[in-house]
Amino acid sequence: MAEFTRVLSIDGGGLRGLIPAEILVSVEHKIQEKTGNPQARLVEYFDLFAGTSAGGIMTCLYLSPDLQDPTKPRCSAEEARNFFYQNSRNIFYQPCSHAIKNFWGLLNEKYSHEKFELMMQNFFGDLKLSELLKPSLICSYEISRRKTHFFTQHDAVVSPSKDYYVRDVIRATSAAPTFFKVAAIRSLGDEMYTCVDGGVFANNPTLCAYAEARSKLPDNPTAKDMVILSLGTGDVKKGYPYEQARNWGQFQWLLPLFDIIMTGVAETVDYQMRQIYDATRSPQQYLRINTTLTDKNMLPIDKSSDENLQAIRRVGQQLAEDYSEELDAIVDLLLR
């Protein structure tokens, strides 16, 4: 039995989900090297997975059972990364007719959800949330009830009313306003939910994951009993000088405010987690890896060109290299 309760949290961020995907390829390789087991998988070394939007997609990929042996994961970290990379154009798919009809997203959602849904249907089929291999928490927001909505594997196992098809969970957690149509899904208890991307309130789901582990995992672990790896997808840190912003009205504030709120919420979660771990005198048990982007046009979250995708992957690979020692230390804790 592991010494710690081990938590993996993955931010939302569109195609920049490839950043944590690349880091986790490195983590899995380190686990394989340290255990001497080339077949070791992430699912064996984390007790709770949490994700929002792209992070929710990756969570479902890591936890999906193998089609031949449902006790084992279907994807290695590399295979999950490759799936996300190779299908990026199906996620952000904009046929010319859709773009013209909706005036490039000004009159309706920017991207068609149909190809995305078909991709998830083809891969996940009728896989249920309850059938994922480990406890997990995936964030969404229910707009008809005006409340946060968490898809939790461990609750789905014991309550069919909280179970869903994985393809619907993914649709709900990634229904980013303005990018995709809202997701209308049903639980397996036949209750209707209208959801948008969980990034509207928890793009960094680490604190949600901590609370979930604290209240629902065996022995109700405290921070000193947990090891948490939290992976970001890049924070936009473009500055807005006083002379530029002092006379802004509603229209000028719209896009900057969105960036500020998204970044500020994620930063606040990281601050809170660091304070929790500092207070328990175990800061080495919490690792947050993220990168700073100085302009929102750097590494666009929805541009699926080869150039942009490769640039995103290079950022993830560089972060894995830059944080290699810290990741080694975290992996050592995961293996204890």
Side-chain angles (χ1 to χ4, degrees):
M1 183 176 177
E3 179 178 342
F4 298 104
T5 297
R6 303 156 298 180
V7 178
L8 173 63
S9 176
I10 311 172
D11 286 16
L15 297 179
R16 294 206 301 262
L18 283 168
I19 293 174
E22 290 289 352
I23 295 171
L24 288 168
V25 169
S26 176
V27 170
E28 190 169 89
H29 285 166
K30 289 177 181 295
I31 291 172
Q32 292 168 349
E33 291 170 2
K34 289 175 181 289
T35 61
N37 177 12
Q39 300 304 314
R41 298 290 181 258
L42 294 173
V43 68
E44 303 167 66
Y45 296 94
F46 287 98
D47 304 298
L48 175 67
F49 288 67
T52 296
S53 197
I57 297 174
M58 298 308 299
T59 291
C60 293
L61 289 171
Y62 296 133
L63 296 182
S64 290
D66 183 75
L67 298 178
Q68 303 302 319
D69 183 356
T71 66
K72 296 181 179 179
R74 182 175 179 178
C75 295
S76 67
E78 283 191 18
E79 289 167 335
R81 185 271 319 275
N82 291 344
F83 176 88
F84 194 87
Y85 172 70
Q86 292 164 2
N87 287 281
S88 60
R89 288 179 176 82
N90 292 329
I91 298 174
F92 292 100
Y93 175 66
Q94 188 183 50
C96 187
S97 59
H98 181 88
I100 294 172
K101 178 181 177 181
N102 297 298
F103 206 68
W104 285 268
L106 292 178
L107 302 180
N108 210 324
E109 71 277 358
K110 187 175 181 180
Y111 296 103
S112 170
H113 61 281
E114 294 173 357
K115 201 164 187 178
F116 179 34
E117 288 182 353
L118 180 61
M119 176 185 74
M120 293 304 164
Q121 168 71 56
N122 289 340
F123 186 86
F124 292 103
D126 290 336
L127 180 68
K128 300 172 185 176
L129 178 64
S130 59
E131 294 171 333
L132 295 181
L133 292 174
K134 281 286 183 74
S136 54
L137 177 144
I138 297 172
C139 304
S140 185
Y141 192 84
E142 217 289 345
I143 60 174
S144 64
R145 295 170 175 83
R146 284 302 303 270
K147 61 186 296 186
T148 57
H149 192 81
F150 299 103
F151 299 97
T152 49
Q153 181 268 359
H154 39 291
D155 289 325
V157 167
V158 298
S159 175
S161 66
K162 296 182 179 180
D163 206 1
Y164 305 80
Y165 289 121
V166 167
R167 63 177 187 265
D168 290 336
V169 173
I170 289 175
R171 180 71 176 88
T173 191
S174 56
T178 74
F179 286 98
F180 295 107
K181 182 180 292 187
V182 297
I185 67 170
R186 289 187 181 276
S187 71
L188 297 187
D190 202 34
E191 189 165 358
M192 182 76 174
Y193 294 90
T194 305
C195 297
V196 296
D197 193 309
V200 300
F201 74 96
N203 202 55
N204 175 356
T206 308
L207 193 58
C208 298
Y210 170 78
E212 192 75 10
R214 184 79 182 85
S215 63
K216 292 185 180 178
L217 291 193
D219 300 322
N220 303 111
T222 63
K224 66 180 181 181
D225 304 313
M226 291 188 219
V227 173
I228 298 181
L229 176 59
S230 173
L231 302 177
T233 56
D235 287 337
V236 175
K237 290 288 187 70
K238 180 181 179 181
Y240 301 101
Y242 172 76
E243 290 299 325
Q244 178 186 356
R246 63 176 182 162
N247 293 319
W248 280 355
Q250 293 182 18
F251 180 76
Q252 292 97 330
W253 267 111
L254 186 60
L255 291 179
L257 188 60
F258 178 78
D259 285 337
I260 291 168
I261 290 173
M262 294 289 286
T263 302
V265 170
E267 286 179 342
T268 300
V269 170
D270 182 41
Y271 170 80
Q272 292 165 329
M273 293 306 304
R274 290 183 188 279
Q275 296 306 305
I276 289 170
Y277 275 88
D278 284 347
T280 61
R281 298 180 181 177
S282 53
Q284 73 282 359
Q285 290 172 216
Y286 169 72
L287 177 61
R288 170 75 172 170
I289 299 179
N290 203 8
T291 190
T292 297
L293 307 174
T294 56
D295 190 289
K296 66 182 179 66
N297 294 318
M298 293 177 63
L299 307 181
I301 64 173
D302 61 335
K303 185 179 180 181
S304 56
S305 67
D306 287 338
E307 180 183 12
N308 188 51
L309 293 172
Q310 289 298 333
I312 293 171
R313 290 186 61 182
R314 285 194 295 271
V315 169
Q317 292 161 2
Q318 187 62 53
L319 283 171
E321 183 177 332
D322 292 344
Y323 283 87
S324 182
E325 291 186 8
E326 291 88 342
L327 288 171
D328 275 326
I330 284 290
V331 169
D332 287 340
L333 293 175
L334 298 178
L335 299 180
R336 280 168 57 174

